[in-house]
Amino acid sequence: MPESITVNGIAVDATDWPSPQLAAVHELLRQRARALQLLAEGADAQVTTEAIEQLLAREVSVPEPTPAECRRWYDTHLPRYRNGELVHARHILFQVTPGTPVPAVRAQAERTLKELMAQPELFEQRARSQSNCPSGAQGGQLGQLQRGATVPEFERALFDGAQLGVLPGLVNTRYGFHIVAVDQRVPGEQLPFEAVHERVAAELRNAAERRALGQYVRVLAGQAELDGVALDAAASPLVQ
C-alpha cells in the first residue's frame, strides 16, 4: 500500500495524479492561495485552479529575455533553428497513468532498452508486443517528424543530437517512458536570427518560468511539513 502523504498535516490523495510529487505540489499551492485569501475553503477544482494561477501570477516573477540574451542563445543553439529539418524515428512507449506503479514500468523499460541496445533488430517485435502507443502496430514507426510536431521533451531527444539508431537512454515525457530509435536525419537549412527571434524569446521566457516556478515550489516546500513525499530539485517542473 502506498505511503500516506500529508502537507502541513492535511492528507493528500494522490490516486488521480501522475505522481505523489504533483499531488503534494498542488496542495502546497492550494494552501498558499488559501493563506493569501485568494481561495475559499471547499472550492471546487476549477476555482482552485484559477486561484493557483492568480497566486503564481502574483508571486512568481519571470524576467523578460533581453535582445542580447536572445542573440547569445541563438548563436549557441544554431541546430535548433533550421527550416526543413526532419527526423525519421520509431519509439516504444511504456505509458504512465494515474495509479501506475512507476518504478515497475521504468524497470521494464530499462530492461527492454538494454536488450535493444544489444539487439536493435528486435525493435519492431518489441514495439508490437510492448508499446502502449498505437504506433506499436506499425513496429513503433512515427514516420517523418519536424520540430514542433511532438511534446518538447520528446523533441529535444530527437533533435538535440546527431546520433542514429537506438538512443542510449530512456526519454521521459508526460506520457511515460520511451525507447527511441532515429533512423534518418535531414539537416535542413539554417534560419537567420531575424526570422526566429520571437521564437527564441518565447523559449527563453518559458525556461525562465520553469526555473522560477521550481524555485518557488522549493521555497514553499522548505517552509512546510511534508510526510510521505520528498520535493527536491526533481520536483521543479511539476507546476504545469
Side-chain angles (χ1 to χ4, degrees):
M1 179 178 296
E3 187 175 0
S4 61
I5 298 171
T6 63
V7 177
N8 292 322
I10 296 179
V12 177
D13 183 0
T15 304
D16 294 328
W17 291 89
S19 72
Q21 289 82 8
L22 261 174
V25 167
H26 183 270
E27 178 59 24
L28 274 174
L29 296 175
R30 189 196 69 81
Q31 291 183 21
R32 179 62 176 168
R34 285 277 298 126
L36 295 180
Q37 299 183 339
L38 300 175
L39 181 66
E41 190 61 48
D44 63 23
Q46 179 60 37
V47 172
T48 300
T49 297
E50 292 171 357
I52 288 175
E53 290 175 353
Q54 184 180 353
L55 168 73
L56 296 177
R58 174 189 291 192
E59 297 215 312
V60 179
S61 176
V62 180
E64 192 70 21
T66 66
E69 289 170 337
C70 291
R71 184 74 207 205
R72 283 195 299 272
W73 176 265
Y74 170 83
D75 288 340
T76 55
H77 297 83
L78 290 175
R80 294 174 64 90
Y81 307 104
R82 303 186 70 89
N83 185 37
E85 183 181 15
L86 299 172
V87 165
H88 296 255
R90 297 169 286 157
H91 84 141
I92 301 172
L93 170 63
F94 296 83
Q95 190 174 27
V96 173
T97 58
T100 297
V102 176
V105 174
R106 181 192 291 271
Q108 181 187 1
E110 288 175 342
R111 287 194 298 270
T112 304
L113 174 61
K114 183 177 180 180
E115 177 188 40
L116 294 179
M117 292 297 295
Q119 296 178 277
E121 68 275 8
L122 296 178
F123 196 103
E124 179 178 351
Q125 180 181 339
R126 294 294 177 264
R128 292 182 182 277
S129 63
Q130 298 186 30
S131 183
N132 299 123
C133 177
S135 66
Q138 287 77 47
Q141 288 286 350
L142 294 173
Q144 188 172 275
L145 299 171
Q146 59 185 357
R147 289 188 184 272
T150 69
V151 294
E153 53 269 39
F154 197 82
E155 178 179 304
R156 286 193 293 271
L158 289 178
F159 289 96
D160 291 1
Q163 184 170 347
L164 292 175
V166 179
L167 301 186
L170 294 177
V171 178
N172 188 5
T173 75
R174 66 199 69 176
Y175 301 112
F177 305 104
H178 307 252
I179 298 173
V180 179
V182 177
D183 297 322
Q184 183 182 3
R185 296 182 182 275
V186 179
E189 167 184 30
Q190 187 67 47
L191 294 169
F193 174 72
E194 292 73 20
V196 296
H197 67 93
E198 291 184 0
R199 174 180 158 193
V200 173
E203 290 178 359
L204 290 182
R205 194 180 303 113
N206 290 339
E209 182 178 28
R210 288 194 298 271
R211 289 192 298 271
L213 289 173
Q215 182 179 9
Y216 181 67
V217 167
R218 288 193 294 274
V219 169
L220 291 182
Q223 298 169 345
E225 294 183 7
L226 303 173
D227 289 312
V229 67
L231 298 181
D232 52 18
S236 60
L238 291 175
V239 185
Q240 298 180 10

